[in-house]
Amino acid sequence: MKHLLSAADLSHGEAVGVLDAAEEMAQATRERRIKKLPVLQGLTVVNLFFEDSTRTRISFETAAKRLSADVINFSPKGSSVSKGESLKDTVLTLGAIQTDAIVVRHPASGAPHRIAHSGWTGASVINAGDGTHQHPTQALLDAMTIRRHLMGPDPVGRDLSGLDIMIVGDVLHSRVARSGVALFTTLGAQVHLVAPATLLPVGVEQWNCTVSYNVDEALADYPPDALMMLRVQHERMSSAGGGFFPSPQEYTREYGLDSPRLERLAPHGIVLHPGPMNRGLEITSQAADGPRSTIVEQVANGVAIRMAVLYLTMSGLKE
Amino acid sequence: MRYVIKEACLPDGQTADIVIQRGKIVSVGRAASGQGGTVTGEVTVVDAAGLVALPGLVDIHTHLREPGQEDSETVASGSRAAAAGGYSCVHAMANTNPVADTAGVVEQVWRLGREAGYVDVRPVGAVSVGLEGKQLAELAAMARSVARVRVFSDDGVCVADPVLMRRALEYVKGFGGVIAQHAQEPRLTEGAQMHEGLVSSELGLAPWPAVAEESIIARDVLLAGHVGARLHICHVSTAGSVEIIRWAKGRGIAVTAEVTPHHLLLTDDSVRGYDPLFKVNPPLRSAQDVAAVRAGLADGTIDVVGTDHAPHPAESKDCEWAAAAFGMTGLETALPVIYQVMVESGLMTWADVVRVMSSGPAAIGRVADQGRPIAPGEPANLTLFDPSARWLVVPEDMATTSANTPVAGRQMHGRTVATFYRGRATVLQGKVI
């Protein structure tokens, strides 16, 4: 695989292959006092972030450095949307300094796809989140986390068959949800989306998942093995029509993960959140910090997943 | 110059020789070459065996970009593109810089068209000052100017204020004008990027609901009926719009409508590659919508084809989707697309093509001397089309200054071989002269 642009592009075999490679990466770095592996020595990775990000950029940077690649972080002040240098000219500039891989985060859906397929660069392109489209490495690290917890003591080689995964919240603006639905279903899980209709895209009824508007009914109808709470993305929300829901209080009452809802999970059930969290809005601290929470572990797994993705795209190896 | 066009196939299916001289059609019929007045000057014989002869095409919706955006098109380059596509008349939209909202600007555009000399350039006047939707532009001044404006439109933006729309519809009754509405409810389409449906939900592009178009059309046909005025709907793109217009026509409301070649040909599936060549306003719609606008054009609910030829410089398309401009070129590929989609498919005849691409648009724009039948005494505006030709669209080879065609690399069915404008050949052997 040359690029990773969308979780929907991964076949079942490729997806399991990335998860397995990530387990290998995690093990290799866990057992070493010096965590660097020499596999990408001499190659250059540019983290091209047009949008603010803490955990994803740090995660990619750590991953690339652990594989001994040279890393350049580049955060242009404005995108061409805001009349700065055009995306094309930025990418041509990176080409001139012989970049091997571009990890890109961009507010415009499809920007990584354009970078990869417009003849602007020959580098590998890894999507680190584009607009409201995709965030494939997030879905992969979520799948890795779920697999570790729910698919037995030795998850290598396994997929997510038989699991019910529930995603609750702002699906409309969420690239995490879009990536998750694609990847989890590819891996054999059944996905259940729960949100107010204002935060679901028209067309979602044709996605390969169930859709419901009521958390409490959904928890009864599709008891989830993994429950993912999405962040309410205020920064992407239009204020037209007075907003997408009447008030934060009502959102929390209707869709927030509080202790009563947490207690309804099966004994093995886990809680995920892609971060950054709005504590008290979509998730209470009891849920976020409780024993079912895998939120910190998700971040750790993110490094292993990004090592695997960089390795697989840059070394040109298939699964 | 005298032209003898031999053995052309007329829209009614008959074969005839057509003789044109001094800007007029002199004779139409068998072996007409020796008749029809005295032979003066040079005679050029055009072998039209196997070619379809159509009255010169009339575009009700063209963006020529001059004044103000000459890097994407000028009146001269757009006129040549129109001729290359078989047109002898285009209506130049008002969203230039400065906006064509005064007699001065429309007269400038009209004069540039005359100087170019490839087609009748009929300026469209803005409905509101600066396309801002706040105050009526001086519509009568534009109508009385040498440009004789009859079509008024804020195209590019919707006349959203219902009161302003009502006033405009009423006011232009005084001089036989028509308001051409760009139907797009602005609040429902803030930041919108593509048709709202399965594809937008997957691509994460801000959605553009069909209802944003349909609700404005519903409002405006009711307004037009109420005040007894003429209304034209630009670039109809949804099945619901077709139904509303069909209903309005059934009630006797004086509404006409256009559809673009690209909305007849392409669906929102084209957006999946995020190539901004497919970014257009209104957006490419679903397959059901495409079927509905085809059926609407065939049954007369949609009166005409308008290209919405919208040239843009390369940098406006060679970028990420959200940053790209809306619009596609279309003048040079409209007739092949209509031929493939509507005629080859059996939905329409050549006589229907004349109605939707020549006589119909001329009637809406109140253009004398255009859209006339191919008959002795009529103005010599003619197009010769070779239905058997097959050619690949190479953007750089086109007459338009811009390369933003959505059919780049596609094989076209049929080609304009010759165009005559007021008796002069503007295109011969497929080349603009």
Side-chain angles (χ1 to χ4, degrees), chain A:
Chain A
M1 106 182 150
K2 161 108 192 216
H3 309 295
L4 179 60
L5 303 175
S6 166
D9 296 340
L10 293 172
S11 67
H12 181 273
E14 284 172 325
V16 173
V18 175
L19 298 182
D20 290 351
E23 290 293 350
E24 273 183 59
M25 295 292 178
Q27 189 168 0
T29 46
R30 196 185 309 127
E31 287 168 357
R32 287 168 178 240
R33 199 171 61 79
I34 294 168
K35 300 204 178 302
K36 262 186 181 329
L37 308 175
V39 293
L40 297 182
Q41 211 155 35
L43 299 180
T44 303
V45 176
V46 172
N47 286 326
L48 180 60
F49 276 59
F50 291 87
E51 237 182 20
D52 289 342
S53 160
T54 310
R55 71 195 65 217
T56 304
R57 192 183 57 74
I58 289 173
S59 182
F60 267 108
E61 183 172 355
T62 306
K65 285 181 170 167
R66 288 202 178 150
L67 296 173
S68 308
D70 295 316
V71 181
I72 297 163
N73 289 312
F74 182 33
S75 301
K77 280 297 171 205
S79 69
S80 60
V81 181
S82 62
K83 302 289 176 206
E85 185 182 44
S86 78
L87 182 62
K88 179 184 179 179
D89 288 338
T90 302
V91 171
L92 292 178
T93 304
L94 299 182
I97 58 169
Q98 296 186 321
T99 305
D100 298 293
I102 301 174
V103 176
V104 62
R105 167 166 289 197
H106 200 284
S109 299
H113 195 280
R114 285 293 281 166
I115 294 171
H117 294 299
S118 297
W120 301 342
T121 177
S124 285
V125 178
I126 296 161
N127 183 357
D130 61 328
T132 56
H133 177 222
Q134 280 275 327
H135 191 359
T137 58
Q138 177 72 43
L140 285 162
L141 72 87
D142 292 336
M144 180 179 180
T145 306
I146 294 168
R147 192 173 78 156
R148 278 191 167 183
H149 279 266
L150 301 175
M151 298 309 290
D154 181 15
V156 171
R158 304 197 59 175
D159 59 12
L160 303 179
S161 290
L163 297 182
D164 285 283
I165 301 173
M166 185 172 290
I167 302 176
V168 179
D170 182 2
V171 174
L172 182 67
H173 300 97
S174 178
R175 52 200 180 204
V176 176
R178 283 176 180 78
S179 309
V181 170
L183 184 71
F184 303 155
T185 53
T186 295
L187 289 170
Q190 176 65 53
V191 179
H192 311 281
L193 299 179
V194 186
T198 49
L199 291 175
L200 288 165
V202 166
V204 74
E205 65 284 351
Q206 293 178 68
W207 291 9
N208 188 12
C209 59
T210 70
V211 177
S212 110
Y213 308 132
N214 185 307
V215 173
D216 296 308
E217 287 175 17
L219 285 172
D221 293 345
Y222 315 105
D225 303 293
L227 176 60
M228 181 189 296
M229 304 306 295
L230 296 174
R231 191 168 68 85
V232 173
Q233 301 196 56
H234 293 294
E235 73 282 6
R236 292 188 205 280
M237 286 188 180
S238 157
S239 60
F244 289 83
F245 47 83
S247 70
Q249 293 79 3
E250 175 150 314
Y251 184 88
T252 302
R253 279 197 302 273
E254 294 290 319
Y255 295 98
L257 181 58
D258 55 13
S259 296
R261 286 180 179 137
L262 191 63
E263 283 164 18
R264 296 181 56 195
L265 290 184
H268 65 270
I270 59 170
V271 172
L272 298 96
H273 191 295
M277 290 180 279
N278 297 305
R279 285 176 186 260
L281 181 55
E282 70 265 0
I283 191 166
T284 60
S285 286
Q286 290 91 323
D289 303 330
R292 295 174 182 280
S293 171
T294 61
I295 294 167
V296 176
E297 192 185 332
Q298 283 173 272
V299 179
N301 290 343
V303 176
I305 284 291
R306 282 150 188 148
M307 289 173 76
V309 167
L310 287 169
Y311 174 72
L312 291 171
T313 50
M314 296 181 75
S315 62
L317 296 178
K318 300 270 178 199
E319 79 275 1

Side-chain angles (χ1 to χ4, degrees), chain B residues 65-269:
Chain B
R65 301 298 189 215
E66 192 177 4
Q69 299 132 40
E70 290 84 355
D71 57 337
S72 46
E73 197 81 286
T74 62
V75 172
S77 68
S79 294
R80 290 168 61 88
Y87 286 88
S88 55
C89 175
V90 299
H91 288 78
M93 276 298 172
N95 62 339
T96 49
N97 184 14
V99 171
D101 58 1
T102 62
V105 177
V106 294
E107 289 194 347
Q108 180 196 4
V109 172
W110 178 83
R111 185 178 50 75
L112 288 167
R114 288 288 287 241
E115 287 171 2
Y118 283 89
V119 290
D120 282 348
V121 173
R122 300 273 306 180
V124 174
V127 172
S128 67
V129 175
L131 308 177
E132 287 176 350
K134 292 184 181 141
Q135 161 119 37
L136 283 181
E138 290 192 346
L139 307 181
M142 291 187 272
R144 313 260 181 252
S145 76
V146 64
R148 298 173 53 78
V149 175
R150 291 295 178 270
V151 182
F152 297 90
S153 182
D154 278 359
D155 180 64
V157 288
C158 182
V159 180
D161 180 344
V163 181
L164 184 75
M165 187 63 185
R166 177 197 170 140
R167 301 268 186 268
L169 286 165
E170 289 176 313
Y171 194 73
V172 300
K173 286 162 68 176
F175 35 85
V178 62
I179 304 298
Q181 174 67 296
H182 173 117
Q184 179 191 349
E185 211 294 316
R187 290 281 282 165
L188 284 172
T189 51
E190 279 174 17
Q193 295 290 322
M194 74 169 293
H195 173 64
E196 181 165 29
L198 175 65
V199 181
S200 68
S201 76
E202 290 180 358
L203 295 187
L205 289 172
W208 191 310
V211 64
E213 174 173 314
E214 293 154 1
S215 58
I216 292 292
I217 295 176
R219 181 197 77 179
D220 287 353
V221 296
L222 292 170
L223 277 175
H226 180 61
V227 302
R230 276 209 299 153
L231 167 70
H232 178 71
I233 306 296
C234 298
H235 40 54
V236 166
S237 69
T238 79
S241 298
V242 176
E243 273 191 61
I244 293 163
I245 292 162
R246 193 175 282 133
W247 173 87
K249 288 188 163 184
R251 303 253 300 195
I253 293 167
V255 59
T256 55
E258 88 201 16
V259 62
T260 70
H262 45 270
H263 288 109
L264 289 163
L265 180 70
L266 302 169
T267 70
D268 60 347
D269 250 343

Side-chain angles (χ1 to χ4, degrees), chain B residues 28 34-35 43 65 170 182 238 304 312 317 339 365 410 429:
Chain B
V28 179
Q35 298 149 28
V43 177
R65 301 298 189 215
E170 289 176 313
H182 173 117
T238 79
V304 300
H312 286 291
K317 291 292 188 180
Y339 171 62
R410 270 190 192 239
Q429 293 172 331

